[in-house]
Amino acid sequence: MSDYKNPGIDDVIREAKQYIHNPESLALLEKAANYASEHHAGQFRRSGEPYIIHLTNVAYILATMRCGPVTIAAGFLHDVIEDCGVTHDQLAADFSEEIAELVEAVTKIGTLEYKGKDDPEYQAANHRKIFIAMAKDIRVILIKLVDRLHNMRTLQYQSEKSQKRIAAETLDIYAPIAHRLGISSIKNELEDLSFYYLNREEYYHIAKLVETKKTERDEAVKKMIEDISAMLEANHIEFRIFGRSKHLYSIYRKMATKHKRFDEILDLLAIRIITKTELNCYEILGYIHAAYRPIPGRLKDYIAVPKTNMYQSIHTTIIGNDSKIFEVQIRTEEMDQVAERGIAAHWRYKEGTQYDAKTEQKEIEDKLSWFKNFAVYTEDESNTASASEYMATLQHDVFEANVYVMTPMGRVIDLPNGATPIDFAYRIHTDVGHTAVGAIVNNAMVPLNTALHTGDVVQIKTMKGTGPSEDWLKFVKTNQARNKIKNYLQKKETEKRQERVGEGERILHDELRRRGFDAKEYMEKKKIESVCREFHVSNYTELMYGIAVKSINPTSVCEKLTNQKKSVSEDEALSRVLNKEAPRRNSKLGLIIPGIESMRMSIAHCCLPVYGDDIIGFITKNDGVKVHRTDCPNIQNSKSRIIHVEWDEGEKERLYDSRIIVLARDRSFLLTDIVTVVSQCKVAMESVSATVNHESLTATIKLSVRLHDREQLENMLANVRKVESVISVERKAY
Ligand code: MN
């Protein structure tokens, strides 16, 4: 494209000397230049030129941007880690840790692989975020932008395929970052170069349109400049004025996105006025509006309300001579610097004696926090959201809420802060998550709960046949991973249950056969379900499960199934005597007999069931129904006179008696310890007695207690078991 002479190392130094005077700083630049020359010696670019030319160009552009000596030195050195095998430590020893870190960050960003818009996973916004988040330092971004600028200027030596890929990446990633940082000179050049390689036909078309109107336009602009100059001089205002042309890509974009014809693009005729003070800007605006008719709605005051990238200027559109339309930009020198160089203008190197390491560090931090706030490019260029709101969102979005990590293939995955390799695995694919057994982060094996950081390259080791662990739920950060793990575990649980049901079926089947019954006949689902209620389960599956986990005795089921006729008739006989109505509760005991009212009931003294125990009623001759635990030995042989009873769920306040027997090796304070534990469990103590067997040196302690329910009881038993020297703890039934 443009012919342009490569600067030499001398040119870099000469450019730098315009603002860097410290001999040490200048020596650093020479040293970096020589170091790069030596290390890249024998390396060539595709153009056939020695590699050092690229580095000199990068350093030179950085110097024209008024970057500091460290940044320029890093510009010279930016490829030595990647292309010359120099290590971070070596570079730190030869120069400084600061330079080594800059070069390493530039190198690391280079590993980001651009997949292009065709990749469905690709998101330009994410790529830009990871780019910036990885850089961490504005100087790294500047070097990277300038590196890309020079590569774009020399893109003609690449294959057509590479040209297209690199140009697309530049347009998607680099130009928006340059824009976000306000570096319009770099942004415009990157856009036009990309445009040229991506759509040469359109590029030439627009270039030609611009060219044909050039003479006419140039004349109109020249006349306008003369008129305005005369007016401002008459009013004694200091100013510089010049015409400017829009870059081709911005014309193309306006034509394409706003569907405008070439001659409809208003600001093709454009004039910029640079003046001394902010006040001068408004004065000039006043004179121009007084002399020419402004187009309504086109006045924009970016001085009062700067753009988010710090851009400041006044824009107005007026109808000039011969009814030609002009866009006029008015701003101060300082604003112009910011407009052209953006963040680089702020970053501009200042030499001074009052500088010390501490204040410099602080300034860098201030600038970095400022930079972070501008780290994201938003599509919305309008300035509607308040600045603080905007910053708060960005801060949260980029630097707090998210980490950006990569697959070994360079795909960028964004995850919430604190996310782990498991979250990453589930984002890749559900199966990867389910079968994850290990994680490799930046080539090192790490635990699966390691928090990931931006820039990490993450690889998941999987193994077929494994599954997620319940522990993962404790550390995963994404809902996606959490839900997938839960679903998996639930499914597994159902499968396991299914297995248990089959197991229960086999046990019951065998039991029936053993007793000489026709298993097939009795195993019928309908028959089984008719006895479910007796075992406090609601259906076939639950009953079989109960048998498998031994909470239901298969012998009892067998008996119920085969004796069913008999017991039903007894129940029926009983029901005839008693009122047959809605379930009634015996509120005094917290018990109900479904379907039966006003039945005298009491708790059996032998086994003392408490609320929540599996219970059964035994119809006595003179004393109503006695409620036993189903495993009470006293009712094991009573097949008839048994009636189904239930706890009344409405009765929670009642206390039940229970008896406990503790066997322990005798020791001092044993009794005290046990009593303490029982009272810590909030169980009321009725009586305690202890006997010691002097031969076995054991103590037997009998406790009578009152408590609410089985849960409380189990809890107490578990705690008593933990008391030192306790051998066994049992509920007593006799
Ligand atoms: Mn490079």
Side-chain angles (χ1 to χ4, degrees):
M1 308 242 306
S2 61
D3 273 336
Y4 140 116
K5 195 184 161 292
N6 282 314
I9 291 172
D10 292 350
D11 296 310
V12 180
I13 305 290
R14 193 178 316 118
E15 188 67 32
K17 272 186 177 165
Q18 292 190 26
Y19 64 101
I20 298 172
H21 309 289
N22 182 338
E24 272 174 43
S25 300
L26 292 167
L28 171 67
L29 297 187
E30 302 243 19
K31 184 182 168 191
N34 294 332
Y35 192 93
S37 297
E38 281 166 33
H39 280 83
H40 289 281
Q43 293 176 7
F44 295 90
R45 304 201 89 209
R46 286 182 83 114
S47 60
E49 293 168 329
Y51 201 86
I52 187 69
I53 291 204
H54 168 62
L55 306 165
T56 311
N57 267 286
V58 169
Y60 183 76
I61 300 168
L62 290 168
T64 61
M65 290 166 73
R66 298 296 182 258
C67 289
V70 168
T71 313
I72 301 175
F76 271 123
L77 300 168
H78 80 265
D79 280 328
V80 293
I81 287 183
E82 193 178 359
D83 295 340
C84 311
V86 174
T87 63
H88 173 111
D89 290 350
Q90 196 187 327
L91 201 54
D94 292 343
F95 288 90
S96 65
E97 182 59 34
E98 189 183 13
I99 285 182
E101 273 172 17
L102 289 176
V103 174
E104 197 179 20
V106 169
T107 309
K108 207 174 167 196
I109 290 179
T111 62
L112 265 174
E113 199 182 325
Y114 177 79
K115 295 275 174 161
K117 284 177 170 159
D118 297 337
D119 180 352
E121 300 291 342
Y122 172 77
Q123 274 185 297
N126 273 354
H127 241 83
R128 289 192 291 263
K129 284 181 203 163
I130 191 175
F131 184 107
I132 287 170
M134 272 172 83
K136 294 194 185 86
D137 188 321
I138 176 64
R139 294 171 297 177
V140 173
I141 304 260
L142 292 178
I143 295 167
K144 206 61 207 165
L145 283 174
V146 169
D147 178 39
R148 176 52 59 104
L149 179 61
H150 184 247
N151 287 335
M152 284 301 292
R153 283 177 181 173
T154 54
L155 202 61
Q156 70 264 38
Y157 302 106
Q158 298 285 335
S159 70
E160 201 188 320
K161 201 180 154 202
S162 298
Q163 286 175 348
K164 288 244 191 298
R165 181 181 59 80
I166 294 167
E169 180 182 39
T170 302
L171 204 55
D172 262 11
I173 312 290
Y174 287 80
I177 289 173
H179 172 70
R180 178 49 48 191
L181 300 183
I183 315 172
S184 61
S185 58
I186 289 185
K187 175 212 153 213
N188 291 347
E189 191 176 347
L190 288 177
E191 283 185 345
D192 273 359
L193 285 163
S194 303
F195 182 34
Y196 173 80
Y197 286 105
L198 287 172
N199 194 343
R200 215 164 292 192
E201 211 172 288
E202 275 298 316
Y203 178 91
Y204 281 128
H205 174 64
I206 290 173
K208 211 173 129 199
L209 284 172
V210 171
E211 194 57 35
T212 43
K213 301 246 175 166
K214 195 173 187 314
T215 327
E216 189 190 326
R217 276 174 46 237
D218 282 357
E219 255 163 46
V221 169
K222 198 176 151 224
K223 177 80 173 56
M224 196 67 179
I225 285 176
E226 283 169 11
D227 291 357
I228 292 176
S229 295
M231 182 171 74
L232 296 182
E233 272 158 18
N235 288 287
H236 311 289
I237 295 174
E238 264 185 64
F239 68 96
R240 286 196 290 134
I241 187 168
F242 46 90
R244 61 186 185 91
S245 55
K246 276 221 158 291
H247 69 295
L248 299 181
Y249 182 69
S250 72
I251 296 170
Y252 166 73
R253 199 170 41 199
K254 275 199 177 161
M255 287 168 71
T257 61
K258 302 198 171 150
H259 306 288
K260 288 197 170 169
R261 289 195 318 275
F262 182 70
D263 50 14
E264 283 177 307
I265 295 173
L266 289 180
D267 41 14
L268 273 180
L269 292 176
I271 282 171
R272 183 174 301 159
I273 303 166
I274 314 283
T275 186
K276 226 175 162 183
T277 67
E278 208 177 288
L279 191 63
N280 291 151
C281 294
Y282 290 105
E283 275 184 278
I284 292 170
L285 178 72
Y287 288 123
I288 287 175
H289 277 190
Y292 304 95
R293 191 153 63 82
I295 294 180
R298 296 274 301 179
L299 172 66
K300 284 180 191 134
D301 184 355
Y302 295 121
I303 291 179
V305 188
K307 284 194 187 183
T308 45
N309 65 12
M310 304 279 283
Y311 176 88
Q312 285 188 295
S313 192
I314 292 171
H315 294 187
T316 186
T317 305
I318 53 164
I319 300 173
N321 305 322
D322 306 327
S323 299
K324 285 201 161 62
I325 293 165
F326 287 82
E327 192 202 60
V328 183
Q329 297 180 344
I330 308 162
R331 57 209 196 202
T332 64
E333 289 286 356
E334 211 185 319
M335 293 172 192
D336 195 50
Q337 285 289 315
V338 174
E340 290 300 307
R341 299 220 298 269
I343 194 167
H346 293 269
W347 192 251
R348 205 159 145 190
Y349 179 70
K350 289 182 231 101
E351 273 187 329
T353 44
Q354 77 274 39
Y355 258 68
D356 64 78
K358 220 174 160 186
T359 52
E360 186 164 358
Q361 184 58 34
K362 180 158 186 334
E363 188 167 343
I364 287 170
E365 276 168 14
D366 287 348
K367 279 172 180 167
L368 278 180
S369 76
W370 178 87
F371 155 66
K372 281 176 184 176
N373 291 329
F374 290 88
V376 180
Y377 171 77
T378 49
E379 299 302 329
D380 177 25
E381 291 200 25
S382 68
N383 218 9
T384 48
S386 83
S388 62
E389 206 179 296
Y390 177 80
M391 287 188 186
T393 320
L394 286 190
Q395 192 79 19
H396 186 262
D397 270 13
V398 190
F399 293 98
E400 281 162 30
N402 295 312
V403 293
Y404 301 91
V405 299
M406 284 179 290
T407 67
M409 301 297 287
R411 188 174 133 197
V412 176
I413 307 283
D414 73 318
L415 291 165
N417 216 3
T420 64
I422 292 297
D423 294 291
F424 174 88
Y426 278 102
R427 280 295 276 280
I428 300 297
H429 196 279
T430 306
D431 289 342
V432 176
H434 283 347
T435 57
V437 291
I440 296 170
V441 173
N442 305 329
N443 299 321
M445 197 83 180
V446 300
L448 289 170
N449 63 353
T450 308
L452 296 173
H453 299 288
T454 290
D456 283 349
V457 176
V458 186
Q459 198 178 350
I460 300 295
K461 289 272 163 219
T462 60
M463 194 189 283
K464 275 213 173 96
T466 57
S469 144
E470 205 168 338
D471 291 343
W472 293 1
L473 292 170
K474 289 182 200 141
F475 58 73
V476 292
K477 286 285 179 301
T478 55
N479 287 331
Q480 186 194 22
R482 190 179 309 280
N483 293 338
K484 295 255 156 106
I485 296 166
K486 277 189 181 161
N487 285 345
Y488 181 94
L489 293 174
Q490 258 166 29
K491 217 179 120 200
K492 265 275 133 95
E493 186 59 39
T494 315
E495 279 171 24
K496 220 159 97 195
R497 237 189 128 77
Q498 218 60 49
E499 250 171 58
R500 285 296 176 86
V501 168
E503 222 174 281
E505 282 171 338
R506 275 192 302 282
I507 293 171
L508 186 59
H509 186 271
D510 292 353
E511 182 67 20
L512 283 162
R513 291 270 302 268
R514 203 171 58 76
R515 290 167 167 250
F517 291 106
D518 178 358
K520 233 182 182 175
E521 188 196 324
Y522 286 101
M523 290 289 285
E524 215 178 274
K525 197 173 173 193
K526 245 192 182 157
K527 280 216 173 86
I528 300 272
E529 298 220 313
S530 70
V531 302
C532 275
R533 201 161 198 194
E534 314 266 356
F535 299 95
H536 318 296
V537 292
S538 53
N539 57 39
Y540 177 91
T541 331
E542 282 181 23
L543 184 93
M544 293 308 168
Y545 186 83
I547 291 173
V549 301
K550 301 195 165 54
S551 71
I552 294 172
N553 183 350
T555 313
S556 311
V557 179
C558 231
E559 281 167 1
K560 276 277 176 277
L561 274 172
T562 50
N563 289 338
Q564 203 177 26
K565 247 187 188 150
K566 208 173 155 198
S567 54
V568 164
S569 71
E570 277 227 10
D571 269 359
E572 269 171 6
L574 190 75
S575 305
R576 248 174 267 130
V577 181
L578 306 159
N579 294 331
K580 211 178 188 180
E581 265 180 34
R584 284 296 163 134
R585 55 179 60 154
N586 183 329
S587 57
K588 223 174 131 195
L589 291 176
L591 289 158
I592 46 174
I593 304 177
I596 294 170
E597 195 190 18
S598 46
M599 185 77 186
R600 199 145 62 88
M601 292 166 84
S602 55
I603 283 184
H605 246 266
C606 51
C607 56
L608 285 177
V610 301
Y611 187 93
D613 275 330
D614 286 343
I615 47 171
I616 201 147
F618 181 75
I619 303 158
T620 63
K621 287 206 172 90
N622 307 312
D623 205 7
V625 173
K626 286 274 179 197
V627 176
H628 293 259
R629 275 149 61 186
T630 47
D631 57 358
C632 178
N634 295 337
I635 56 155
Q636 285 307 302
N637 295 317
S638 328
K639 292 195 178 73
S640 58
R641 307 173 70 165
I642 292 289
I643 189 168
H644 178 70
V645 293
E646 285 177 13
W647 295 107
D648 180 1
E649 282 182 9
E651 273 294 313
K652 290 270 157 99
E653 287 314 304
R654 213 195 115 88
L655 288 170
Y656 296 87
D657 290 315
S658 191
R659 278 189 305 265
I660 312 299
I661 293 193
V662 182
L663 181 67
R665 274 179 290 106
D666 196 20
R667 64 170 174 91
S668 322
F669 301 114
L670 173 66
L671 199 57
T672 323
D673 287 354
I674 289 172
V675 171
T676 307
V677 166
V678 170
S679 66
Q680 277 167 352
C681 294
K682 305 238 171 359
V683 170
M685 187 89 67
E686 292 286 305
S687 70
V688 188
S689 70
T691 51
V692 177
N693 181 328
H694 292 286
E695 265 174 44
S696 59
L697 292 174
T698 54
T700 305
I701 297 148
K702 295 181 185 170
L703 298 160
S704 288
V705 296
R706 285 167 74 75
L707 37 73
H708 284 290
D709 55 24
R710 186 180 177 122
E711 195 187 328
Q712 199 186 7
L713 176 66
E714 298 279 359
N715 173 50
M716 181 193 76
L717 295 178
N719 280 300
V720 173
R721 273 183 201 112
K722 284 185 216 153
V723 173
E724 195 201 329
S725 92
V726 165
I727 298 163
S728 69
V729 182
E730 274 169 4
R731 285 175 80 179
K732 184 64 184 166
Y734 44 76

